[in-house]
Short mmCIF file of all heavy atoms in Angstrom, two decimals:
data_model
loop_
_atom_site.label_atom_id
_atom_site.label_comp_id
_atom_site.label_asym_id
_atom_site.label_seq_id
_atom_site.Cartn_x
_atom_site.Cartn_y
_atom_site.Cartn_z
N ALA M 324 -1.13 20.04 -10.50
CA ALA M 324 0.12 20.53 -9.93
C ALA M 324 -0.15 21.43 -8.75
O ALA M 324 0.46 21.37 -7.71
CB ALA M 324 0.92 21.26 -11.00
N LYS M 325 -1.18 22.20 -8.95
CA LYS M 325 -1.52 23.20 -7.87
C LYS M 325 -1.95 22.39 -6.69
O LYS M 325 -1.58 22.68 -5.54
CB LYS M 325 -2.60 24.14 -8.41
CG LYS M 325 -3.12 25.06 -7.38
CD LYS M 325 -4.14 25.96 -7.92
CE LYS M 325 -5.45 25.21 -7.94
NZ LYS M 325 -6.57 26.18 -8.12
N ASP M 326 -2.84 21.43 -6.96
CA ASP M 326 -3.37 20.66 -5.85
C ASP M 326 -2.29 19.93 -5.11
O ASP M 326 -2.23 19.98 -3.87
CB ASP M 326 -4.39 19.65 -6.35
CG ASP M 326 -5.66 20.28 -6.74
OD1 ASP M 326 -5.86 21.46 -6.32
OD2 ASP M 326 -6.41 19.71 -7.46
N LEU M 327 -1.45 19.32 -5.90
CA LEU M 327 -0.41 18.51 -5.27
C LEU M 327 0.60 19.42 -4.55
O LEU M 327 1.05 19.09 -3.42
CB LEU M 327 0.32 17.64 -6.31
CG LEU M 327 -0.57 16.55 -6.90
CD1 LEU M 327 0.09 15.99 -8.10
CD2 LEU M 327 -0.85 15.49 -5.88
N SER M 328 0.92 20.44 -5.18
CA SER M 328 1.89 21.32 -4.53
C SER M 328 1.35 21.88 -3.25
O SER M 328 2.06 21.99 -2.25
CB SER M 328 2.37 22.47 -5.47
OG SER M 328 1.30 23.28 -5.75
N SER M 329 0.12 22.20 -3.30
CA SER M 329 -0.49 22.73 -2.04
C SER M 329 -0.61 21.68 -1.01
O SER M 329 -0.45 21.90 0.17
CB SER M 329 -1.85 23.39 -2.35
OG SER M 329 -2.67 22.44 -2.98
N LYS M 330 -0.90 20.45 -1.56
CA LYS M 330 -1.09 19.35 -0.59
C LYS M 330 0.22 19.02 0.08
O LYS M 330 0.28 18.79 1.24
CB LYS M 330 -1.61 18.11 -1.33
CG LYS M 330 -2.17 17.03 -0.43
CD LYS M 330 -2.95 15.97 -1.18
CE LYS M 330 -2.29 15.45 -2.46
NZ LYS M 330 -2.92 14.16 -2.82
N ASN M 331 1.29 19.13 -0.72
CA ASN M 331 2.60 18.66 -0.16
C ASN M 331 3.45 19.79 0.28
O ASN M 331 4.55 19.58 0.63
CB ASN M 331 3.30 17.88 -1.28
CG ASN M 331 2.53 16.64 -1.61
OD1 ASN M 331 2.04 15.91 -0.78
ND2 ASN M 331 2.42 16.39 -2.92
N ALA M 332 2.88 20.95 0.25
CA ALA M 332 3.66 22.11 0.60
C ALA M 332 4.13 21.96 2.06
O ALA M 332 5.22 22.40 2.39
CB ALA M 332 2.88 23.38 0.38
N ASN M 333 3.19 21.44 2.87
CA ASN M 333 3.56 21.31 4.25
C ASN M 333 4.72 20.29 4.45
O ASN M 333 5.49 20.46 5.41
CB ASN M 333 2.37 20.88 5.06
CG ASN M 333 1.23 21.91 4.92
OD1 ASN M 333 1.55 23.04 4.62
ND2 ASN M 333 0.03 21.49 5.09
N GLU M 334 4.69 19.30 3.64
CA GLU M 334 5.73 18.34 3.83
C GLU M 334 7.05 18.90 3.34
O GLU M 334 7.33 18.93 2.14
CB GLU M 334 5.40 17.02 3.02
CG GLU M 334 4.11 16.43 3.47
CD GLU M 334 3.79 15.26 2.57
OE1 GLU M 334 4.71 14.48 2.26
OE2 GLU M 334 2.71 15.16 2.10
N ASN M 335 7.81 19.29 4.23
CA ASN M 335 9.07 19.88 3.87
C ASN M 335 10.13 18.81 3.67
O ASN M 335 11.19 18.82 4.24
CB ASN M 335 9.48 20.85 5.03
CG ASN M 335 10.32 22.00 4.45
OD1 ASN M 335 10.59 21.97 3.31
ND2 ASN M 335 10.76 22.86 5.31
N ASN M 336 9.73 17.92 2.79
CA ASN M 336 10.59 16.76 2.60
C ASN M 336 11.21 16.90 1.23
O ASN M 336 10.58 16.80 0.24
CB ASN M 336 9.72 15.50 2.70
CG ASN M 336 10.59 14.28 2.85
OD1 ASN M 336 11.76 14.34 2.51
ND2 ASN M 336 9.96 13.22 3.28
N LYS M 337 12.46 17.13 1.22
CA LYS M 337 13.11 17.34 -0.06
C LYS M 337 12.96 16.17 -0.97
O LYS M 337 12.79 16.34 -2.16
CB LYS M 337 14.57 17.66 0.14
CG LYS M 337 14.81 19.03 0.78
CD LYS M 337 16.22 19.49 0.50
CE LYS M 337 17.30 18.52 0.98
NZ LYS M 337 18.62 19.12 0.95
N VAL M 338 13.06 15.05 -0.40
CA VAL M 338 13.02 13.81 -1.23
C VAL M 338 11.69 13.64 -1.90
O VAL M 338 11.57 13.30 -3.07
CB VAL M 338 13.45 12.61 -0.45
CG1 VAL M 338 13.27 11.37 -1.23
CG2 VAL M 338 14.86 12.75 0.08
N ARG M 339 10.68 13.84 -1.19
CA ARG M 339 9.36 13.58 -1.70
C ARG M 339 8.86 14.58 -2.68
O ARG M 339 8.12 14.27 -3.61
CB ARG M 339 8.37 13.55 -0.52
CG ARG M 339 8.55 12.34 0.33
CD ARG M 339 7.55 12.42 1.44
NE ARG M 339 6.22 12.13 1.00
CZ ARG M 339 5.70 10.92 0.96
NH1 ARG M 339 6.40 9.90 1.35
NH2 ARG M 339 4.49 10.75 0.47
N LEU M 340 9.35 15.82 -2.58
CA LEU M 340 8.74 16.82 -3.39
C LEU M 340 9.00 16.62 -4.85
O LEU M 340 8.16 16.69 -5.71
CB LEU M 340 9.31 18.18 -2.96
CG LEU M 340 8.61 19.38 -3.52
CD1 LEU M 340 7.16 19.45 -3.03
CD2 LEU M 340 9.35 20.63 -3.09
N LEU M 341 10.24 16.35 -5.16
CA LEU M 341 10.61 16.24 -6.58
C LEU M 341 9.83 15.17 -7.35
O LEU M 341 9.24 15.44 -8.39
CB LEU M 341 12.08 15.97 -6.68
CG LEU M 341 12.95 17.22 -6.62
CD1 LEU M 341 14.36 16.89 -6.60
CD2 LEU M 341 12.58 18.10 -7.79
N PRO M 342 9.88 13.98 -6.81
CA PRO M 342 9.27 12.88 -7.68
C PRO M 342 7.80 13.14 -7.91
O PRO M 342 7.22 12.75 -8.93
CB PRO M 342 9.50 11.64 -6.87
CG PRO M 342 10.61 11.92 -5.94
CD PRO M 342 10.47 13.39 -5.66
N GLN M 343 7.15 13.77 -7.00
CA GLN M 343 5.76 14.00 -7.15
C GLN M 343 5.51 14.97 -8.31
O GLN M 343 4.37 15.07 -8.84
CB GLN M 343 5.12 14.51 -5.94
CG GLN M 343 4.76 13.36 -5.04
CD GLN M 343 4.55 13.82 -3.63
OE1 GLN M 343 4.80 14.98 -3.32
NE2 GLN M 343 4.18 12.95 -2.77
N HIS M 344 6.48 15.70 -8.71
CA HIS M 344 6.27 16.66 -9.79
C HIS M 344 6.78 16.12 -11.11
O HIS M 344 6.80 16.84 -12.08
CB HIS M 344 7.02 17.95 -9.49
CG HIS M 344 6.36 18.75 -8.35
ND1 HIS M 344 5.15 19.39 -8.57
CD2 HIS M 344 6.70 18.88 -7.06
CE1 HIS M 344 4.83 19.94 -7.42
NE2 HIS M 344 5.68 19.64 -6.54
N ILE M 345 7.17 14.89 -11.04
CA ILE M 345 7.65 14.37 -12.34
C ILE M 345 6.48 13.99 -13.22
O ILE M 345 5.63 13.28 -12.95
CB ILE M 345 8.39 13.01 -12.10
CG1 ILE M 345 9.66 13.26 -11.29
CG2 ILE M 345 8.81 12.40 -13.44
CD1 ILE M 345 10.34 12.04 -10.89
N ARG M 346 6.56 14.62 -14.37
CA ARG M 346 5.55 14.19 -15.37
C ARG M 346 6.37 14.16 -16.65
O ARG M 346 6.94 15.12 -17.05
CB ARG M 346 4.46 15.16 -15.46
CG ARG M 346 3.56 15.04 -14.32
CD ARG M 346 2.51 16.13 -14.28
NE ARG M 346 1.92 16.10 -12.92
CZ ARG M 346 2.03 17.04 -12.05
NH1 ARG M 346 2.76 18.09 -12.35
NH2 ARG M 346 1.52 16.91 -10.86
N LEU M 347 6.45 12.99 -17.23
CA LEU M 347 7.32 12.85 -18.37
C LEU M 347 6.63 13.16 -19.62
O LEU M 347 5.49 12.98 -19.84
CB LEU M 347 7.83 11.37 -18.42
CG LEU M 347 8.63 10.99 -17.24
CD1 LEU M 347 9.00 9.56 -17.32
CD2 LEU M 347 9.90 11.81 -17.15
N GLY M 348 7.36 13.64 -20.57
CA GLY M 348 6.78 13.88 -21.81
C GLY M 348 7.78 14.46 -22.85
O GLY M 348 8.96 14.56 -22.55
N LEU M 349 7.28 14.80 -23.89
CA LEU M 349 8.08 15.24 -25.00
C LEU M 349 8.07 16.70 -25.15
O LEU M 349 8.93 17.32 -25.70
CB LEU M 349 7.61 14.60 -26.32
CG LEU M 349 7.63 13.14 -26.29
CD1 LEU M 349 6.92 12.60 -27.49
CD2 LEU M 349 9.04 12.61 -26.30
N ASN M 350 6.98 17.30 -24.70
CA ASN M 350 6.84 18.75 -25.00
C ASN M 350 7.02 19.51 -23.70
O ASN M 350 6.29 19.22 -22.70
CB ASN M 350 5.46 19.00 -25.57
CG ASN M 350 5.36 20.44 -26.00
OD1 ASN M 350 6.34 21.02 -26.30
ND2 ASN M 350 4.18 20.92 -26.03
N LEU M 351 7.90 20.38 -23.67
CA LEU M 351 8.10 21.17 -22.43
C LEU M 351 7.75 22.57 -22.77
O LEU M 351 8.37 23.26 -23.52
CB LEU M 351 9.55 21.13 -22.07
CG LEU M 351 10.06 19.75 -21.75
CD1 LEU M 351 11.55 19.77 -21.54
CD2 LEU M 351 9.36 19.18 -20.51
N LEU M 352 6.68 23.03 -22.16
CA LEU M 352 6.25 24.35 -22.41
C LEU M 352 7.02 25.32 -21.54
O LEU M 352 7.12 25.06 -20.34
CB LEU M 352 4.79 24.47 -22.17
CG LEU M 352 3.92 23.50 -22.99
CD1 LEU M 352 2.51 23.50 -22.51
CD2 LEU M 352 4.03 23.85 -24.46
N PRO M 353 7.48 26.35 -22.08
CA PRO M 353 8.28 27.29 -21.26
C PRO M 353 7.50 27.77 -20.08
O PRO M 353 8.08 27.95 -19.04
CB PRO M 353 8.54 28.44 -22.21
CG PRO M 353 8.26 27.93 -23.56
CD PRO M 353 7.30 26.77 -23.42
N SER M 354 6.25 27.94 -20.25
CA SER M 354 5.48 28.45 -19.08
C SER M 354 5.53 27.50 -17.91
O SER M 354 5.51 27.90 -16.82
CB SER M 354 4.01 28.65 -19.53
OG SER M 354 3.51 27.47 -19.99
N ALA M 355 5.64 26.22 -18.19
CA ALA M 355 5.65 25.26 -17.11
C ALA M 355 6.84 25.46 -16.26
O ALA M 355 6.85 25.32 -15.09
CB ALA M 355 5.61 23.87 -17.72
N PHE M 356 7.95 25.81 -16.88
CA PHE M 356 9.15 25.99 -16.08
C PHE M 356 9.13 27.20 -15.16
O PHE M 356 9.70 27.18 -14.13
CB PHE M 356 10.33 26.07 -17.07
CG PHE M 356 10.78 24.80 -17.53
CD1 PHE M 356 10.42 24.33 -18.79
CD2 PHE M 356 11.56 23.92 -16.76
CE1 PHE M 356 10.87 23.08 -19.28
CE2 PHE M 356 11.96 22.69 -17.18
CZ PHE M 356 11.63 22.28 -18.44
N HIS M 357 8.53 28.16 -15.69
CA HIS M 357 8.59 29.46 -14.96
C HIS M 357 7.34 29.68 -14.10
O HIS M 357 7.23 30.73 -13.49
CB HIS M 357 8.74 30.61 -15.93
CG HIS M 357 9.90 30.33 -16.81
ND1 HIS M 357 11.18 30.29 -16.37
CD2 HIS M 357 9.99 30.11 -18.16
CE1 HIS M 357 12.01 30.09 -17.41
NE2 HIS M 357 11.30 29.98 -18.53
N ASN M 358 6.57 28.78 -14.06
CA ASN M 358 5.29 28.96 -13.38
C ASN M 358 5.40 28.55 -11.94
O ASN M 358 5.08 27.45 -11.58
CB ASN M 358 4.15 28.21 -14.06
CG ASN M 358 2.86 28.95 -13.86
OD1 ASN M 358 2.81 29.84 -13.08
ND2 ASN M 358 1.82 28.52 -14.64
#
Side-chain angles (χ1 to χ4, degrees):
Chain M
K325 177 179 80 163
D326 287 344
L327 291 168
S328 64
S329 55
K330 197 168 42 163
N331 299 314
N333 300 335
E334 298 176 44
N335 207 359
N336 194 340
K337 287 203 304 188
V338 175
R339 289 177 73 90
L340 191 65
L341 277 175
Q343 278 161 353
H344 289 285
I345 296 174
R346 287 171 194 112
L347 295 177
L349 301 170
N350 188 26
L351 302 171
L352 303 170
S354 57
F356 280 100
H357 306 296
N358 209 348

